[in-house]
Each structure stands twice: as structure tokens, then as C-alpha cells.
Amino acid sequence: MSAFEYVRPDDVAGAVTMVSTDLGASYLAGGTTQLDLMKDGVLAPERLVDISRLPLRGITRRDDTLRVGALTTMEELAADPTVAERVYFVREALLLGASTQLRNMATIGGNILQRTRCRYFRDPTVMACNKRTPGSGCAALTGVARMHAILGASEQCIAVHASDLCVPLVALDAVVHIQGVGGQRSVPLTEFYVLPRDRPDIENVLEHGELITQVEIPLLPIGARSGYLKVRDRASYEFALTSAAAALMIEDGTITKARLALGGVGTIPWRAREAEAILNGAAVSDETFRAAAEVALRDPFTVSGTVFKVELAKRTIVRIMQTLSGSRS
């Protein structure tokens, strides 16, 4: 690991100024993968600005919205009674996303900003990685790609977004609050992430030095059913092959409102709006669920190692819908 300067600012404004005015600076918080990537030689910041003791922690409720400080831990959010009562699939995603030890360290802001687990991105001896070096190629296209993306992917990059938590957050239209040197701004999470296209190295809309301070999570209506289904190679300590976060309002056998997002298959947390349009107003049935799944996985980009994910993701959608609607036999 290269040498670096370590500093701890006294307030948010000071932290933002330190990083914004220094292109060689990066933020450091609890549970981050920043140090892992530095040890691997992928990242080499000249200054680490430790924000772990800034007053960005806590959960407050305002009407039908939860405001969650960026330094709130995954375990703290999972233990919140309102989360369990009104956005249960958020709690499920948190509990399935990491071990208890990691959840006690990892922050909500850090989870949103976590880097891909793509083995080619994280191995600096692999020269072909457009995410590390734009224009160098993508080794995953011809390499082992079982854990890679099929939605939002292209010949430029097929690295998957690894977060479990962000899948239900995207389904809920969560909003990220950001502090920069020029002031504050808010960005819907559905607009926060950037598809790789010709610049896989740009992953989100943050400018250098901007800091996530808070996440606003809308609550589901009373009576909504929600769930998170994670399909993986083993029961714990494993990233998703496919996952689905869904929320349904059902009246007299008809879906009156559906929310659906997918994980493990997208270069970003994937909101399945076309599938939602199929579900809204439709009768609860396997035919409805399969039709939604077909639309959600329309035009995937696959390589030899990811072809299986297309059907697996469809079945994941059908299964979570069956479970929530009570139609699973």
C-alpha cells in the first residue's frame, strides 16, 4: 500500500472542503472497502479524510418517510421497528447482505457507494478493465463471468452492482441527500447511478468531494406486502446471483400497486418499471407474474458465463410474487 496522509475533520463542511480541494483525497468511514482496494493496489489516494465521527448518524421519522443518516450502520437500520413494520423488504435485504459483525461496522452511505466485486476490477494485474483504465477493454467478457451483470451491461463493462440494500431502496424511490462545497442537493436513487456505456469508471453522479449525508426512505402504505428474495450459491456470506425486491398492494385478487427492483443482474440496482406496468391492475396469477418477468429481462446482454441468469432472474421474480401474494403452492 502506498503512503497516505490521514486526517479527521471536525465537521461536515470541513470534510467536504478537504476532499473537494484535493484531487488526491478520498473519504474513509466504518466498514468501507476503501482500505481493501488500497491494499490490493486498485486505489492510491494521497489523503484519507476520516468522516466516521461526524454527526451523520441516526434515524428519524417524519410522516411517512424515514430519514437515515449516512453513517447509520446496517445493523441499526435493520433493528429499527418502523423498518420492520412498514418496509420489511429493507430489513430482509440488510440481514441477508452481510454478517452481524459487518452490519455493525458497515454504514448506509458506504453501502450505497460500495465498489463492484468484479474480480477483474479488483486485480490490478489484469490490464483490461475499463472501470480502472478507460479504453483498456473488459477482461470479464471472455473470462469467468458467473457473478456479472446482464442488464445495463455492454461490451464496455459487465461488472455487477453488489448491494442488496440498494435493491429495495430503488424500488421505494429513496432519495439521497448530498453536501458539496456549493451547497446541498437531493437526487433520487434511481437517478444516482450511471450506466457504464463508454465510461464505466463513472459510477454515479457525485462530483469529487461531494458527500452523502442522509438517505430519505419513503414508507410503504399500511397493508402493503413486501419481501426480498436472494438467490445465491450458498446460504450465507455470499453475493446474489439474482435477487428481487418487491412490494404489492392487493385488493380482491387484483394488484393495485406494484414495486419491483432486481439485484445481482444489473450494472446498477435495477428498477423494473415495465414489469410494474404489467403488474399494476392485473389479477394475481402465475401468468401475470411470468409476463412481468419476461418484460423485466427483455434484451439482456449475456456472455457465456451469464446466460443462465436470464431464466434464473425470471424465476426469482415469479417466486417472490407468489410468496407475497400467497399464491405459491
Side-chain angles (χ1 to χ4, degrees):
M1 185 189 296
S2 301
F4 60 89
E5 178 188 10
Y6 172 86
V7 293
R8 180 180 290 162
D10 296 324
D11 52 37
V12 172
V16 170
T17 299
M18 284 182 183
V19 178
S20 297
T21 57
D22 182 355
L23 293 179
S26 296
Y27 291 116
L28 174 68
T32 182
T33 60
Q34 177 80 27
L35 291 178
D36 293 339
L37 292 171
M38 290 170 63
K39 291 176 181 178
D40 290 339
V42 176
L43 300 178
E46 298 171 358
R47 173 188 284 185
L48 284 182
V49 178
D50 186 349
I51 61 170
S52 61
R53 298 190 183 184
L54 296 182
L56 296 175
R57 195 165 179 168
I59 304 168
T60 58
R61 179 174 176 177
R62 184 178 300 174
D63 298 324
D64 282 332
T65 301
L66 282 184
R67 293 180 177 267
V68 182
L71 293 180
T72 302
T73 67
M74 293 174 64
E75 186 68 14
E76 288 169 337
L77 186 58
D80 186 84
T82 301
V83 170
E85 180 184 357
R86 296 288 296 277
V87 282
Y88 187 71
F89 61 169
V90 170
R91 184 175 190 272
E92 286 188 307
L94 287 163
L95 295 179
L96 291 172
S99 66
T100 305
Q101 294 90 335
L102 287 175
R103 293 197 305 269
N104 276 314
M105 286 293 295
T107 65
I108 302 307
N111 189 283
I112 290 172
L113 291 174
Q114 66 178 290
R115 307 299 297 275
T116 182
R117 264 60 181 183
C118 173
R119 65 174 66 185
Y120 307 102
F121 167 72
R122 289 175 172 261
D123 184 354
T125 66
V126 176
M127 296 296 104
C129 177
N130 287 323
K131 192 174 284 293
R132 267 190 288 108
T133 309
S136 63
C138 177
L141 294 175
T142 56
V144 178
R146 178 177 174 79
M147 301 301 293
H148 285 66
I150 59 175
L151 298 177
S154 71
E155 292 184 355
Q156 295 295 318
C157 182
I158 60 172
V160 76
H161 193 279
S163 173
D164 289 293
L165 171 63
C166 289
V167 184
L169 291 187
V170 163
L172 285 168
D173 294 309
V175 175
V176 176
H177 295 275
I178 300 165
Q179 177 73 49
V181 289
Q184 300 178 355
R185 65 186 179 117
S186 300
V187 180
L189 199 59
T190 51
E191 300 174 15
F192 180 77
Y193 297 105
V194 178
L195 291 173
R197 295 194 174 96
D198 60 344
R199 288 297 303 274
D201 57 312
I202 300 175
E203 299 181 351
N204 55 61
V205 300
L206 286 179
E207 299 291 339
H208 180 72
E210 286 191 314
L211 178 66
I212 294 177
T213 58
Q214 192 177 78
V215 182
E216 189 175 325
I217 305 176
L219 301 177
L220 291 169
I222 294 174
R225 312 173 188 181
S226 72
Y228 181 70
L229 177 59
K230 182 176 182 178
V231 179
R232 46 189 171 172
D233 285 327
R234 55 188 182 187
S236 62
Y237 309 116
E238 184 61 279
F239 294 101
L241 289 170
T242 66
S243 68
L248 300 177
M249 288 291 292
I250 300 174
E251 295 181 10
D252 299 324
T254 298
I255 301 168
T256 59
K257 180 64 177 177
R259 292 179 178 272
L260 177 65
L262 308 177
V265 292
T267 55
I268 62 176
W270 199 264
R271 181 72 178 270
R273 294 192 185 277
E274 291 183 340
E276 291 175 351
I278 295 290
L279 294 165
N280 288 330
V284 170
S285 69
D286 287 351
E287 291 74 17
T288 296
F289 303 151
R290 185 67 191 191
E294 292 290 341
V295 169
L297 275 296
R298 181 184 292 166
D299 298 326
F301 181 92
T302 61
V303 296
S304 60
T306 60
V307 173
F308 79 99
K309 281 195 169 189
V310 178
E311 179 60 27
L312 183 61
K314 292 176 182 178
R315 295 186 183 188
T316 304
I317 293 171
V318 172
R319 177 62 62 89
I320 190 63
M321 292 294 169
Q322 290 174 331
T323 300
L324 294 179
S325 64
S327 63
R328 179 182 170 190
S329 58

